[in-house]
Amino acid sequence: MAGATQQPRYHALYRACIKDAALAGGELMRAALARALQELPDRAAAMPDVVDRNLLLEAVNVLREQQAALGAGFPQALLTEFAQAIAGDRVASLSFDTLPLLGDEQVQENADLVHAGQELEQAVRPQLAELERVLLAAQLTPEGGQQRHPLRPEVYARAMHRLARVSPVSPAVRRRWLRYLPPLMAPELAQALHGTAQRLQAELADHIELPAVHPQDEMDEATQLTIRALRKLLSGAPGDAADEGVIVFSDTGDSDFSHTVPAALEMVQDMRKVDQLLLQLRQRQAAMPGRERDSLAAFRRALRHEARRPAQALGLEVVHLMIDNLAEEPRLLPAVRNVVRDLEPPLLRLALVDPRFFSDRSHPARRLLEQITQRSLAWSSPQEPGFSTFMDGLQQATEALLDAGGTGPETFEIALSALQEAWDEAQPRGRRNRERAVRALMRAEQRNLLAGRIAQQILERPDAAQAPREALAFLTGPWTQVMAQARLADMAGEEDPGGGWWVVQSVLWSVQPALAARVAGQHRTLVARIDAGLQSIDHLPADTDRWQNLLSALRDLALASGAGTPARSREAETAPETTNTWLAPLEMHESGFIPDSAMTPETSAPEADALGSQELEVGAFVDLMADGWERWQLTWASPHGLLFMFTHASGAARSMTRRKLNSMLAQGTLRLVSAHPVVDGALDAVARAAWRNTA
């Protein structure tokens, strides 16, 4: 199988396939629409319910009117969904945390969307499996499994949803489009997936080995959760608990948490039974090494007997599924997955008495689980420095949590505080490095923003209209940094601190034949001013010399040329390139800056398309390609989005411009590991299972 270091060389081909799939979306949609206009009237005629029949016929008539617009708009909708899938964006309407916010119409619309996506996936399953085998072999799929890639049928269904939302149609028409159109894409999508798989396999045949075919994991089908039940669990709405599995909150009781503890707590006669079950579980694990799963299953069964209401059983099921998802999460190292599995008993116990864990992101148990899983993503291998220290603190806190006898959130709060204190003490150097790097980058961004405004003022000057572009490159590049630095350092409020505008005028006049004679006697003063200015921003001496030589040649040429003749110089071919964002050497050192000029011709190509413009959020983990893949976390983004800083578990920092970041994303030398908390993903998987059951 291809090694991880080979992945970037395949990435350009993969991106080309994705772009081609988006471009082909127009033909795919037009074929699906033609099929819909032919088949749906007959399907409507067979409906016994006259209301449903008329609504579907109305949807067909509107579809006929909007046929051209849908065919033209689908490629862009598809490209947008591809980009979001690559970036790891959560589908907000289907996520666990947003379920209580959905109205009945949204629930039905999303259920239709999920059902249509399921039908489409079922129809193209062989071709999808073929493509996913190739993607897995070439390591082209996002971290976390081969089912998380942009070409999956679910993304095509979401693109249809996106397009329908912006179409001038009624909700009833939109719902029927979502219900019937995605499955009708199946013939063309199957052909497209097969073609993409064959294209990739042909190009990479000498470098990859296809994995064996395994049955698809159908774990989601094991649960009978529904969206209705989950929404009630998250909202705590009162209702018929016996029928709906609703948790009823009580304002009375002996607990310190009486304002949030469910009435079901009253039915648990003696919570010490639960503590005894947990003690028996640990004793059984100690007596039977290697039998943890068996004893844990026995503990879950025993806890279910303690659940006196359907709502409690539902809470236990959600915790169990969430932990199962986390314990199978490939982004978590095995040792961390084991710790997560160890946390299932206390979380199950908590679910019986305090269901806020599901709806309150600030709940200590939720925060503890998020801290454990998110911080662990800083390491991609247990052999990396710092991981053993991380695990020592984690295991100690877990042991203390398991030994505690409380059933409320207090024990999780204590464990969380102990973990954060241990982790903070383990990385004092890293914290200081980050603070120093952020200060350097903040200075750089402030100066660059001011330099950009000054550059615009220079270009708007009348005497700049005929100036050689090489001279303008100097003035709007390094010299604007000098002027911005002088202005930021000026405490007296001078009109032209440092005399920067005098240099601007002198350079512009000295390089134009019609004006050069006016400043012919100021050559030495100009050279000295430029030297002093560039030195004030720690400009590299070698670059300073090249600029001075270039400007001197332009001045000589202007004096030798006739009036009105534009000055041009051979030295212009070797003029140092300027970038929009510049950092001084000390700022580069303190922040680990990767300059844009370090990009190779292949990686510096502009990537302005939607796939190359992913918005990473602070906290996201990425792998960066250096000598090999290294795990970094985006810990800071500048207020104006010019600069981004990543930190390593060792405390080292790296920073780059937005242009560099997008280029590395596009070329595959920077790949997203996790854009959102892993716990959110595990709970979203529970919600997806419920959506499937509801659909």
Side-chain angles (χ1 to χ4, degrees):
M1 184 178 295
T5 56
Q6 292 178 300
Q7 195 261 4
R9 63 188 285 192
Y10 307 151
H11 196 82
L13 174 62
Y14 183 38
R15 284 176 54 80
C17 289
I18 295 173
K19 290 180 184 178
D20 289 347
L23 292 174
E27 289 301 320
L28 182 148
M29 175 55 69
R30 281 187 279 273
L33 294 177
R35 193 173 292 112
L37 293 175
Q38 181 179 359
E39 297 181 7
L40 292 185
D42 293 338
R43 195 176 301 188
M47 289 180 171
D49 188 291
V50 65
V51 175
D52 287 342
R53 181 166 64 248
N54 289 337
L55 285 174
L56 182 55
L57 288 174
E58 179 190 357
V60 172
N61 290 333
V62 177
L63 186 66
R64 186 175 289 108
E65 297 172 359
Q66 297 292 322
Q67 187 175 3
L70 292 173
F74 193 65
Q76 184 58 49
L78 199 54
L79 190 65
T80 302
E81 290 295 338
F82 284 166
Q84 292 194 358
I86 292 172
D89 283 1
R90 301 171 68 195
V91 184
S93 60
L94 302 181
S95 69
F96 186 88
D97 290 333
T98 59
L99 293 181
L101 306 178
L102 299 179
D104 292 339
E105 183 70 28
Q106 290 174 296
V107 170
Q108 186 58 56
E109 187 171 293
N110 282 303
D112 290 338
L113 174 61
V114 171
H115 181 65
Q118 284 180 284
E119 281 194 71
L120 180 58
E121 180 172 340
Q122 185 64 36
V124 301
R125 190 177 294 277
Q127 295 80 11
L128 179 63
E130 177 188 16
L131 173 62
E132 288 175 345
R133 288 178 67 214
V134 180
L135 295 178
L136 180 62
Q139 298 186 351
L140 287 168
T141 55
E143 288 285 334
Q146 61 266 37
Q147 280 75 43
R148 297 171 56 194
H149 62 85
L151 297 175
R152 61 191 188 275
E154 172 197 350
V155 178
Y156 279 78
R158 290 213 309 261
M160 180 67 246
H161 187 210
R162 174 180 293 274
L163 192 57
R165 286 204 315 270
V166 299
S167 299
V169 299
S170 68
V173 167
R174 183 172 65 244
R175 275 184 50 195
R176 278 149 186 84
W177 283 5
L178 295 178
R179 183 183 302 173
Y180 294 105
L181 287 182
L184 294 175
M185 301 177 188
E188 288 72 30
L189 180 57
Q191 184 177 359
L193 295 174
H194 173 71
T196 302
Q198 292 294 308
R199 177 181 175 185
L200 287 170
Q201 191 171 346
E203 293 282 349
L204 308 177
D206 296 336
H207 307 287
I208 64 174
E209 178 182 347
L210 293 181
V213 179
H214 297 291
Q216 185 173 353
D217 184 4
E218 298 291 349
M219 183 188 68
D220 284 349
E221 304 301 331
T223 177
Q224 292 305 310
L225 293 175
T226 64
I227 290 300
R228 183 182 179 86
L230 276 184
R231 291 175 72 204
K232 295 281 180 84
L233 176 66
L234 289 170
S235 65
D240 186 354
D243 296 332
E244 301 286 356
V246 181
I247 293 180
V248 182
F249 293 86
S250 173
D251 291 330
T252 62
D254 298 330
S255 169
D256 291 338
F257 299 92
S258 58
H259 63 293
T260 56
V261 174
L265 179 59
E266 300 170 7
M267 295 207 174
V268 182
Q269 297 175 350
D270 188 357
M271 281 307 298
R272 284 179 297 181
K273 292 180 181 179
V274 180
D275 293 331
Q276 292 169 0
L277 290 172
L278 185 57
L279 178 61
Q280 293 170 8
L281 167 67
R282 303 199 68 202
Q283 291 173 342
R284 184 178 302 184
Q285 290 177 346
M288 296 186 302
R291 299 294 301 279
E292 290 84 355
R293 282 183 176 267
D294 292 343
S295 55
L296 183 56
F299 175 72
R300 283 196 296 266
R301 287 193 297 270
L303 259 191
R304 289 192 188 103
H305 289 301
E306 296 298 321
R308 303 305 176 91
R309 289 191 177 186
Q312 291 180 301
L314 177 63
L316 295 175
E317 181 72 359
V318 171
V319 168
H320 171 48
L321 290 176
M322 176 192 67
I323 293 296
D324 267 358
N325 290 328
L326 290 173
E328 299 297 326
E329 173 57 68
R331 290 171 294 183
L332 300 180
L333 293 172
V336 178
R337 295 203 294 265
N338 290 337
V339 169
V340 169
R341 181 65 77 183
D342 288 341
L343 291 175
E344 183 174 358
L347 288 172
L348 287 169
R349 181 175 59 180
L350 179 71
L352 282 179
V353 300
D354 188 5
R356 290 180 304 161
F357 170 77
F358 302 113
S359 58
D360 184 1
R361 296 185 68 93
S362 64
H363 192 284
R366 179 85 170 259
R367 286 161 46 217
L368 176 66
L369 200 55
E370 288 180 346
Q371 285 290 309
I372 290 172
T373 53
Q374 283 305 106
R375 284 181 181 252
S376 75
L377 293 179
W379 294 273
S380 57
S381 166
Q383 286 75 42
E384 292 180 4
F387 182 72
S388 60
T389 303
F390 166 83
M391 285 302 302
D392 287 344
L394 179 55
Q395 288 168 343
Q396 290 175 12
T398 304
E399 287 294 319
L401 182 63
L402 294 175
D403 288 336
T407 58
E410 303 95 332
T411 52
F412 291 92
E413 186 71 69
I414 293 171
L416 178 62
S417 297
L419 271 181
Q420 290 177 332
E421 185 176 340
W423 289 336
D424 289 344
E425 289 178 356
Q427 287 192 330
R429 185 175 68 88
R431 184 170 60 254
R432 290 195 298 270
N433 286 347
R434 287 193 297 273
E435 292 171 353
R436 185 166 57 248
V438 167
R439 286 196 297 269
L441 292 172
M442 286 290 287
R443 287 196 308 269
E445 182 182 57
Q446 188 178 15
R447 189 184 60 251
N448 275 277
L449 288 171
L450 181 54
R453 292 195 290 270
I454 295 172
Q456 188 61 38
Q457 293 172 7
I458 292 174
L459 293 175
E460 291 172 355
R461 289 173 60 103
D463 53 2
Q466 299 298 322
R469 65 177 183 85
E470 299 82 9
L472 290 175
F474 167 74
L475 292 175
T476 60
W479 194 250
T480 59
Q481 299 286 335
V482 172
M483 294 178 68
Q485 178 67 27
R487 190 173 298 181
L488 292 173
D490 175 41
M491 304 302 293
E494 296 183 16
E495 183 177 350
D496 184 16
W501 284 110
W502 180 87
V503 171
V504 170
Q505 176 177 286
S506 298
V507 168
L508 289 175
W509 289 12
S510 69
V511 298
Q512 298 184 65
L515 303 172
R518 301 183 186 182
V519 291
Q522 300 175 356
H523 175 70
R524 290 191 177 186
T525 304
L526 180 59
V527 170
R529 288 276 189 94
I530 291 175
D531 276 340
L534 293 178
Q535 188 175 356
S536 72
I537 60 170
D538 295 328
H539 201 257
L540 294 177
D543 286 342
T544 297
D545 290 343
R546 285 198 294 272
W547 280 119
Q548 289 281 32
N549 292 337
L550 172 63
L551 294 175
S552 178
L554 288 173
R555 286 193 296 269
D556 292 344
L557 186 61
L559 289 171
S561 302
T565 305
R568 291 291 181 265
S569 169
R570 294 181 180 178
E571 284 81 356
E573 300 174 1
T574 60
E577 294 185 1
T578 61
T579 58
N580 291 330
T581 304
W582 179 87
L583 270 69
L586 180 60
E587 294 168 340
M588 295 178 67
H589 173 72
E590 290 180 336
S591 65
F593 186 70
I594 306 173
D596 291 353
S597 57
M599 293 187 286
T600 63
E602 291 78 12
T603 60
S604 61
E607 290 288 345
D609 59 90
L611 294 178
S613 311
Q614 299 173 25
E615 291 294 334
L616 297 184
E617 296 181 3
V618 171
F621 281 91
V622 301
D623 282 339
L624 288 171
M625 172 60 72
D627 295 332
W629 287 113
E630 296 177 348
R631 180 65 50 81
W632 296 76
Q633 184 181 26
L634 179 60
T635 51
W636 180 84
S638 65
H640 296 273
L642 292 181
L643 297 165
F644 299 83
M645 187 181 77
F646 298 84
T647 55
H648 191 266
S650 65
R654 282 190 183 178
S655 63
M656 62 187 71
T657 63
R658 176 181 292 276
R659 176 173 176 252
K660 178 68 171 178
L661 173 62
N662 282 338
S663 178
M664 293 183 70
L665 279 166
Q667 293 298 324
T669 52
L670 184 152
R671 62 187 185 189
L672 182 66
V673 174
S674 176
H676 305 284
V678 176
V679 174
D680 286 356
L683 287 171
D684 288 350
V686 175
R688 285 196 298 272
W691 277 114
R692 292 188 181 104
N693 291 332
T694 301

